[in-house]
Amino acid sequence: MRAPRIALVDSGIGLLAAAAAVRRLRPDASLVISNDPEGMPWGPRTPADITARTLALARAAVATPPDALIVACNTATVSALPQLRAELEPAVPVVGTVPAVKPAAAAGRPLAVWATLAATESAYQRDLLDRYAAGVPAVGVPCHGLADAVERADEEAIEAAVRAAAALTPPETRTVVLGCTHYELVADLIRRRVTAVTGAEVTLIGSADAVAAQALRRAGLLPNPTAALGGTLEVFASTRPAALPEVALAYPEGRLVAAMAAARASRLVP
C-alpha cells in the first residue's frame, strides 16, 4: 500500500487538527504544511485578499505534487475553494473545510455553532443553518478572540474567550459545532465550559477527522491506522521553507506532527 503525501494550508496552526487526523489514519503519511504567519489574522481581510493568499500558500505546498490538498480553514474554504479547484484539479484533489452543521443537525438536538464573528454574521453560515438545521434549535455563537488566543497558545486569553462564548451559548444546547479549525485544538476546555453552562453532556463536532478521511478518498487511498510510522514533514511559512512553529508544541496535535520530524532525524543518525 503506497504511503500518502498530503498537503494542508491555513492561515495559522489551526491546520494541526487535520494534520494529526491524517497521521492517525495513515501513520506512514508525509505531510506538507503551509500557513501564513505574516498575513494573520485573515478574518479582517477581503475575500479577494484571502483568495490570493490561499492560492500562494497552495502553490508553495504543491510544488512537489501531493496526493491531495486540504484547505484546513473555514474562511479560506468559503473564499478560495472554487479558484483552488480550477487551478489544481484534477492533478491535485482539493478538499475544503466547512462547519459540520449537517451531521450535527441530524441528531435533532439543539445546537450552537461556535465561530469567528465574521463567520457567525456571514450569509454562508446562515445558509448552512437554513439548509441543514431547519426545525432544529440552532444559534451562532461568536467567539471573540479565541482563534488568535489559540494561535499564541495564550492560556489565560483562551480561558477568557471560551468562558465568554460559553456564556453566550443557550443552556438547552446539546451539540456544539466547532466552526473554526483552531477551536479543535482546545476542544476539551470548550466541552468543560459548555457543560458547566448547560448542566448536561454536550457533544462537540469538528471537521478534522472527516476532512482527513475525505482527502484520502479523493486521492484514491485507504486508511491504514496500523501502518508503520514513517513519512516526512515539510513546512512553509508565508510561502517560504520553515520549521514547525514552536507554539505548535503547546497542543497534542502539534506534538504528534512534530514527532514526525524527530523520528526522521533519529533514522538519519548513523
Side-chain angles (χ1 to χ4, degrees), residues 150-163:
V150 172
E151 185 71 24
R152 303 191 308 272
D154 183 333
E155 293 184 5
E156 184 175 338
I158 291 169
E159 176 71 36
V162 169
R163 283 186 180 274

Side-chain angles (χ1 to χ4, degrees), residues 135-212:
V136 177
V139 299
V141 174
C143 303
H144 301 282
L146 180 53
D148 290 343
V150 172
E151 185 71 24
R152 303 191 308 272
D154 183 333
E155 293 184 5
E156 184 175 338
I158 291 169
E159 176 71 36
V162 169
R163 283 186 180 274
L168 297 175
T169 303
E172 64 271 19
T173 298
R174 294 297 176 267
T175 303
V176 171
V177 176
L178 300 177
C180 172
T181 53
H182 282 76
Y183 303 170
E184 296 192 49
L185 301 179
V186 291
D188 289 343
L189 175 62
I190 292 172
R191 183 180 291 105
R192 291 198 302 272
R193 296 296 172 251
V194 176
T195 298
V197 168
T198 63
E201 183 177 349
V202 174
T203 300
L204 267 58
I205 301 182
S207 302
D209 290 339
V211 164

Side-chain angles (χ1 to χ4, degrees), residues 2-240:
R2 180 172 63 85
R5 177 179 170 85
I6 304 295
L8 305 97
V9 299
D10 187 9
S11 59
I13 63 170
L15 53 67
L16 291 173
V22 171
R23 286 290 286 175
R24 289 191 291 267
L25 289 175
R26 289 298 299 258
D28 57 340
S30 292
L31 298 178
V32 183
I33 289 174
S34 183
N35 63 11
D36 189 26
E38 293 179 6
M40 283 203 66
W42 279 6
R45 295 184 178 276
T46 65
D49 191 10
I50 293 168
T51 296
R53 301 191 82 88
T54 305
L55 285 168
L57 298 185
R59 289 167 186 151
V62 304
T64 301
D67 294 298
L69 172 73
I70 294 174
V71 187
C73 174
N74 301 86
T75 300
T77 297
V78 172
S79 299
L81 190 62
Q83 292 88 339
L84 285 167
R85 285 179 167 162
E87 179 171 321
L88 299 178
E89 292 186 341
V92 178
V94 180
V95 177
T97 301
V98 297
V101 171
K102 185 177 181 179
R109 305 195 306 168
L111 67 90
V113 182
W114 280 34
T116 63
L117 177 61
T120 301
E121 295 179 344
S122 69
Y124 179 80
Q125 182 166 303
R126 288 195 300 272
D127 180 62
L128 281 179
L129 292 172
D130 289 344
R131 278 192 291 157
Y132 298 121
V136 177
V139 299
V141 174
C143 303
H144 301 282
L146 180 53
D148 290 343
V150 172
E151 185 71 24
R152 303 191 308 272
D154 183 333
E155 293 184 5
E156 184 175 338
I158 291 169
E159 176 71 36
V162 169
R163 283 186 180 274
L168 297 175
T169 303
E172 64 271 19
T173 298
R174 294 297 176 267
T175 303
V176 171
V177 176
L178 300 177
C180 172
T181 53
H182 282 76
Y183 303 170
E184 296 192 49
L185 301 179
V186 291
D188 289 343
L189 175 62
I190 292 172
R191 183 180 291 105
R192 291 198 302 272
R193 296 296 172 251
V194 176
T195 298
V197 168
T198 63
E201 183 177 349
V202 174
T203 300
L204 267 58
I205 301 182
S207 302
D209 290 339
V211 164
Q214 177 68 355
L216 292 179
R217 282 194 294 269
R218 291 288 312 278
L221 299 165
L222 296 173
N224 185 16
T226 61
L229 290 172
T232 60
L233 176 64
E234 190 174 1
V235 179
F236 292 91
S238 299
T239 75
R240 294 184 295 276

